[in-house]
Amino acid sequence: MGQGKQGVTAVENPSKGGDLMGQVEQNPIALVQAKLKEVEIRFKGWLEKQTLPVEAAVVTTTSAAQGAAIGAFMGTLTGDVSSLVTPPPNAGGLNPEAMASLKQAQALAGGPLVQARNFAVMTGVNAGISCVMRRLRGKEDVQSSMVAAFGSGAMFSLVSGMGGSNQAANVVTSGLFFALIQGGIFQMGQKFSQPPAEDTQYIRTRSMLNNLGLQSYEKNFKRGLLTDRTLPLLTDSALRDVKIPPGPRLLILDHIERNPELKKG
């Protein structure tokens, strides 16, 4: 019987060992994800403490870099077909509208470098203006979104050369077009993302957590019934009771301390 039990143990152990090996193999990925999340939280916390010019410059630069990468990738996929859209020999005799259409086609058909430039300008300017509007107005709404989109469209018109011979009119037209599109998208997003009725007590809490990159802890606030009205009363022990780790606790308390609106309740 003793040998039989040892045999069973010998059979079971390899299975457990395999599970442990699987966990060990998964751990590095989980560790990397946790580390990246920690870096993101620290970066957002650091950025929030900076002056408006510094924050706007950092946001604009990082967003422009992301846009340039996307544009370069898309330009690589489509290829540089701008060489196919060349002015005819008698281009000087074309009317202004025809030349404007030709320039528009060239701007949209450029290769990786052209598309990288276009996307960098659009995303960078949009993010930078959004950052400034959020800091100045203390909120994100359709007006701020449309202002940022107008600036993005205007700058895109300037760098791409799209439109007719009247550059000023092109800038305004492109800006208005971008603003209207962005406003429509924002309104549709607001319409389809309205929180349930019971979530109206967590509007400011949700906005705060989103700004800090801590939206995953919203459920902890709800579990402890820490509503918007409790924000001025929050303490480290209260956040600890709802299982929020030390790092996010510090960011939340610091954010409330530096935000007069949240301290009023």
Side-chain angles (χ1 to χ4, degrees), residues 14-25:
S15 175
K16 293 180 179 179
D19 293 340
L20 290 175
M21 287 297 293
Q23 293 175 1
V24 171
E25 291 177 357

Side-chain angles (χ1 to χ4, degrees), residues 26-166:
Q26 293 177 356
N27 281 340
I29 299 177
L31 288 174
V32 170
Q33 291 176 338
K35 193 66 178 177
L36 290 175
K37 186 65 177 178
E38 181 183 353
V39 171
E40 179 184 358
I41 291 174
R42 288 183 177 180
F43 176 74
K44 288 185 176 181
W46 170 83
L47 191 60
E48 194 176 54
K49 297 177 182 179
Q50 306 308 307
T51 61
L52 176 56
V54 173
E55 182 182 5
V58 172
V59 169
T60 300
T61 302
T62 54
S63 298
Q66 294 174 357
I70 295 173
F73 177 72
M74 294 183 62
T76 302
L77 294 179
T78 58
D80 188 356
V81 296
S82 58
S83 58
L84 302 178
V85 190
T86 55
N90 60 340
L94 293 177
N95 61 56
E97 292 184 359
M99 284 300 297
S101 299
L102 184 61
K103 288 183 178 180
Q104 182 173 348
Q106 288 178 324
L108 296 176
L113 292 179
V114 173
Q115 297 303 334
R117 177 202 64 190
N118 293 344
F119 276 81
V121 169
M122 287 189 292
T123 56
V125 172
N126 191 298
I129 297 178
S130 295
C131 172
V132 173
M133 295 294 292
R134 182 175 63 252
R135 286 283 290 265
L136 294 179
R137 305 182 71 227
K139 59 181 179 179
E140 295 183 28
D141 54 15
V142 65
Q143 287 86 0
S144 297
S145 179
M146 291 181 70
V147 169
F150 180 89
S152 176
M155 286 302 299
F156 172 72
S157 175
L158 287 174
V159 300
S160 66
M162 290 181 60
S165 56
N166 190 334

